[in-house]
Amino acid sequence: MSFIKLEGINKYFGGQHVLKNISLEIEEGDFMTFLGPSGCGKTTTLRILAGLEQQEEGLIAISDKLVADGQSQYFAPPADRKLNLVFQNYALWPHMTVFENVSFGLEGRKLPKKEIKNKVEASLQKLQILDYKDRYPSELSGGQQQRVAIARAIVTEPNILLLDEPLSNLDAKLRVEMRAELKRLHHELGTTMIYVTHDQVEAMTMSTKIAVFSEGEILQVDKPIQLYQYPAHLTVAQFVGNPANNFLHATCTKSSNSSFIIHSDLGDLVMNSSWLEGFSDDVVLTVRPEDLVLSRTPQKGTVQGTVRAVLPAGPETTIHIQCGETVLLAKQMGIVNYLPDSTVYVKANLEGLNLYHPNSGHRLNKVTAHQEVDLNVYV
Ligand code: ATP
């Protein structure tokens, strides 16, 4: 059984159905991120898990122990769930020093003074703010205040740490730094972390698993790289990735028992039938910008396009190309120069393609075993 289990959670605010049958399993030690646009129910799910909000339907179990049941209206108090929450607005006590803010979490545990001091200092050290222990929150930068809030959350050694957009008040540079710090902290502590964000880069770079939310539902739960390469739904394919995915209207015809052809502005692509799980005549074809191969002369399998714009960003260049009715985004490593309005030849890397049903939005192609990539394999 999973460490944390949510089963059939439904939540209403007034007449608004904000969580629709949310079911999710989280393993011990996971860094699970709830990702999705504003208002899709991420924070509400986190608050229900923490015991700060109550669901009308559904169960929650932590370590095999039932902590909430909507039907019988049983809700264990937050303090009995062995978890701690870090909010977006640090919620530090302004009249207490950094040391006092962090030690506050240990009050009521009747620990010897020396042990409290050791625990607080160890947690400040982990967040690299021990030198600031005698300062007041008003004497700290936003980034330092956020570190104090995290130090306060980990000092009690919770089994589960819940983080609700903890980096959103920081400037872009600090956010990137703190991502690395949080990932390191997760590695050091081994604590199960559940992290809420609408920033897909944050989710991709830090998580062991991501749950993508949309309008109160979970569309996909997967490892970040799987989510990126094989979005299960068009909405996920749209939400994850920068520059954005390319979407092409396409039609699919069977050419033989063992193959079929996808016709689109990328030409006619012949695929093996075993690649498909479902079939539809009209499909949406997606290809990531880095899976488009460009050449200046026609090659086997290329289609002709016209360069509309070239956007060099230093490490990579994004090129906008008109191919038939579609404007494609291609990403090339380094600085690449194409003249606007010049002709370019485009080909898709077949391994980077996904097909979707145009109405349901569900992916039609399989993820085969050899395509599964696990970034948690260390070399
Ligand atoms: P954000 O990223 O903006 O924080 P979110 O995905 O975390 O968004 P929630 O905060 O969970 O979304 O909100 C989900 C829906 O529930 C929204 O439509 C929101 O307006 C509504 N909602 C949240 N809390 C309450 C509340 N206390 N009373 C009424 N409606 C609420």
Side-chain angles (χ1 to χ4, degrees), residues 13-14 16 18-19 36-45 53 88 164-165 196-198 213:
F13 280 119
Q16 196 191 353
V18 295
L19 295 183
S38 185
C40 64
K42 308 176 298 287
T43 296
T44 305
T45 307
E53 207 74 72
Q88 180 177 350
D164 191 357
E165 306 229 18
V196 165
T197 184
H198 56 260
F213 282 67

